[in-house]
Amino acid sequence: MTSVFEYAILGSATAFLIYSIYQRFFHTEPLPPPPPPTAEHRDYTLFELSQYTGADPTKPILMSGNIYDVTPKASMYGPGGPYHNFTGTDASRALGKGVTDRSEANNTNWTDLTSDEMQQLDEWAGFYSARYQKIGNLIE
């Protein structure tokens, strides 16, 4: 007569055998996610910059006068993100004025910014340069 102990050992050995077969023949490692798209290091016009909003997942997400690749924070800057209004634009003036909609996007005239707004813009420039890769400049 077989004891409970022998059933436990037999059950454990069977479970181990099934697990080993599964691991060997059926279990596959998940594929790593594809790398995020990378931006080409060059200068961009406003029109070219407007193509990098995150709407096309094969393109990086870019923004501002000093062009920054903000793709690593796509959840913040991509479609539906709280800062999506800044992407694909020169957001410099908007950042200086503290405006979060597109009303100041692509307005490259800074002559009427106050000294406080210029200081705010400088602080944002420091923020972006410390966190994101600068990949180019905005050109006419």
Side-chain angles (χ1 to χ4, degrees), residues 35-96:
T38 56
E40 181 180 347
H41 289 257
R42 64 179 180 87
D43 293 336
Y44 293 79
T45 65
L46 279 175
F47 176 76
E48 290 170 325
L49 183 61
S50 72
Q51 308 302 306
Y52 296 89
T53 64
D56 181 347
T58 65
K59 293 183 179 179
I61 304 169
L62 306 179
M63 64 171 286
S64 236
N66 286 328
I67 312 279
Y68 293 101
D69 184 349
V70 295
T71 307
K73 289 288 188 173
S75 63
M76 301 296 282
Y77 293 95
Y83 303 112
H84 181 66
N85 283 337
F86 294 145
T87 62
T89 70
D90 178 359
S92 303
R93 183 177 171 89
L95 291 169

Side-chain angles (χ1 to χ4, degrees), residues 3-53:
S3 70
V4 173
F5 179 71
E6 291 171 324
Y7 278 123
I9 291 177
L10 182 60
S12 296
T14 303
F16 178 75
L17 179 63
I18 292 171
Y19 176 76
S20 297
I21 291 171
Y22 169 77
Q23 286 292 331
R24 174 71 175 102
F25 296 105
F26 299 106
H27 180 73
T28 59
E29 291 296 319
L31 294 174
T38 56
E40 181 180 347
H41 289 257
R42 64 179 180 87
D43 293 336
Y44 293 79
T45 65
L46 279 175
F47 176 76
E48 290 170 325
L49 183 61
S50 72
Q51 308 302 306
Y52 296 89
T53 64

Side-chain angles (χ1 to χ4, degrees), residues 51-139:
Q51 308 302 306
Y52 296 89
T53 64
D56 181 347
T58 65
K59 293 183 179 179
I61 304 169
L62 306 179
M63 64 171 286
S64 236
N66 286 328
I67 312 279
Y68 293 101
D69 184 349
V70 295
T71 307
K73 289 288 188 173
S75 63
M76 301 296 282
Y77 293 95
Y83 303 112
H84 181 66
N85 283 337
F86 294 145
T87 62
T89 70
D90 178 359
S92 303
R93 183 177 171 89
L95 291 169
K97 293 184 82 56
V99 176
T100 59
D101 61 27
R102 286 189 172 260
S103 65
E104 296 290 339
N106 297 329
N107 183 343
T108 57
N109 178 13
W110 300 356
T111 59
D112 63 338
L113 293 181
T114 67
S115 61
D116 287 344
E117 290 169 338
M118 287 301 294
Q119 180 180 352
Q120 183 74 11
L121 180 54
D122 285 342
E123 289 173 10
W124 278 113
F127 171 86
Y128 281 99
S129 65
R131 288 169 179 77
Y132 302 103
Q133 181 179 16
K134 179 182 174 189
I135 55 104
N137 296 301
L138 185 64
I139 57 173

